[in-house]
């Protein structure tokens, strides 16, 4: 296993390595040490304040979230074009906030996407028109949807939560939780889910006693249950996907864990 990151130097007392991902973090999983061609490559893209994770296995490509549209277009689409990627087997949208799904339309218009995996949509929502020509898969609560990515496997669930009065909080609460497994290595992708929701729903994802990599939820926002999440799953590397913002992300409390 090798992890290459361009990162801000974290405090020495961090229990895991936290990357403030204004830069790209790269995880390469190899089945045999020093194997020239990686079995799986996971890239956390610098899309500013937002999320976008590219998963490339030996014969499949998936994208988890698209990041936002920014001045000049989509950083994600520009990166895919530079990489020569013209088809995605799966495009997973964890939830419908613009920093996670803002570039969806641009990507669907430019790249062949075999299937979009996303939460259910309310009738008449703006996202319906974006998905009009796409094959759409909606994971169920408590029952993981398994996506075959060649040598890797991506398991996705819709988290079971109580509805809240605050619509923005609801959108975060109902985000998709996913686990990537490749050659025995597991990566947990938590979207903007509260840490407590992740903990409660992990029972539906088999395995996960320890994760090599954990994406810190919600851009490193303060979360009273985050310490418990880290204690439970003891990740070797944590990634915070964040850019310039007015929300105070990542919080000092998160960086000081």
């Amino acid at each position: 296993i090798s992890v290459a990151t361009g990162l801000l130097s974290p405090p020495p007392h961090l229990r895991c390595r936290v990357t403030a991902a204004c830069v790209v973090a790269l995880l390469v999983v190899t089945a045999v040490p020093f194997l020239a061609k990686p079995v799986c490559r996971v890239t956390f893209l610098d899309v500013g304040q937002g999320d976008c994770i590219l998963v490339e296995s030996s014969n499949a490509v998936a994208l988890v979230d698209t990041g936002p549209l920014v001045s000049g277009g989509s950083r994600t689409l520009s990166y895919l074009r530079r990489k020569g990627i013209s088809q995605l087997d799966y495009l997973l949208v964890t939830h419908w906030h613009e920093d996670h799904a803002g570039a969806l339309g641009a990507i669907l218009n430019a790249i062949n996407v075999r299937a979009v995996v996303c939460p259910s949509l309310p009738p008449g929502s703006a996202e319906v028109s974006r998905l009009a020509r796409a094959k759409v898969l909606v994971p169920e609560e408590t029952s993981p949807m398994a996506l075959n990515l060649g040598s890797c496997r991506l398991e996705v669930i819709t988290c079971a939560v109580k509805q809240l009065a605050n619509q923005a909080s609801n959108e975060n609460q109902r985000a998709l939780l996913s686990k990537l497994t490749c050659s025995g290595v597991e990566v947990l992708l938590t979207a903007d889910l509260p840490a407590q929701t992740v903990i409660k729903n992990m029972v539906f994802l088999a395995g996960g006693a320890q994760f090599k990599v954990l994406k810190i939820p919600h851009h490193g926002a303060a979360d009273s249950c985050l310490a418990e999440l880290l204690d439970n799953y003891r990740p070797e590397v944590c990634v915070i996907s964040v850019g310039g913002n007015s929300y105070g992300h990542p919080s000092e409390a998160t960086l000081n864990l």
Side-chain angles (χ1 to χ4, degrees):
I1 307 300
S2 66
V3 178
T5 57
L7 56 118
L8 303 178
S9 298
H13 58 281
L14 288 180
R15 73 183 70 196
C16 63
R17 184 165 39 166
V18 176
T19 300
C22 313
V23 291
V24 174
L26 181 67
L27 169 71
V28 178
V29 180
T30 57
V32 180
F34 311 114
L35 188 66
K37 187 175 181 180
V39 172
C40 180
R41 186 184 301 270
V42 180
T43 307
F44 293 83
L45 297 179
D46 172 12
V47 292
Q49 178 70 5
D51 274 17
C52 183
I53 302 114
L54 180 66
V55 180
E56 301 169 90
S57 72
S58 53
N59 56 359
V61 181
L63 195 68
V64 180
D65 284 332
T66 70
L69 279 178
V70 294
S71 177
S74 164
R75 293 183 182 180
T76 302
L77 184 54
S78 297
Y79 181 80
L80 295 176
R81 284 171 168 162
R82 288 199 305 271
K83 290 269 294 180
I85 295 173
S86 58
Q87 175 172 295
L88 296 172
D89 294 278
Y90 297 101
L91 198 170
L92 193 154
V93 178
T94 61
H95 62 298
W96 296 110
H97 286 162
E98 284 296 304
D99 57 336
H100 290 254
L104 175 63
I107 292 172
L108 288 176
N109 288 335
I111 288 180
N112 180 36
V113 177
R114 293 181 57 195
V116 175
V117 182
C118 60
S120 58
L121 292 173
S125 65
E127 287 77 18
V128 171
S129 60
R130 301 193 213 181
L131 298 172
R133 299 187 305 275
K135 176 182 179 182
V136 177
L137 306 174
V138 179
E140 298 178 2
E141 291 185 5
T142 74
S143 179
M145 175 182 289
L147 307 177
N148 181 14
L149 297 175
S151 53
C152 302
R153 176 185 176 93
L154 187 65
E155 296 174 75
V156 188
I157 60 168
T158 297
C159 287
V161 295
K162 293 180 179 180
Q163 293 297 298
L164 304 174
N166 183 295
Q167 183 58 39
S169 297
N170 259 335
E171 195 65 34
N172 288 340
Q173 286 266 11
R174 65 193 287 268
L176 302 182
L177 174 66
S178 54
K179 180 187 73 172
L180 175 70
T181 305
C182 187
S183 299
V185 174
E186 295 186 332
V187 178
L188 185 64
L189 303 175
T190 59
D192 282 357
L193 288 160
Q196 184 179 43
T197 302
V198 174
I199 293 167
K200 288 182 176 179
N201 283 270
M202 282 304 298
V203 66
F204 306 117
L205 293 174
Q210 182 175 8
F211 288 95
K212 175 67 70 173
V213 178
L214 186 151
K215 191 197 84 69
I216 296 292
H218 202 186
H219 317 291
D223 189 320
S224 60
C225 292
L226 184 55
E228 181 182 354
L229 179 65
L230 296 178
D231 282 338
N232 285 357
Y233 299 108
R234 306 184 305 281
E236 294 184 23
V237 176
C238 296
V239 179
I240 298 175
S241 184
V242 67
N245 68 87
S246 59
Y247 307 109
H249 299 160
S251 74
E252 285 296 322
T254 296
L255 293 177
N256 288 330
L257 283 173

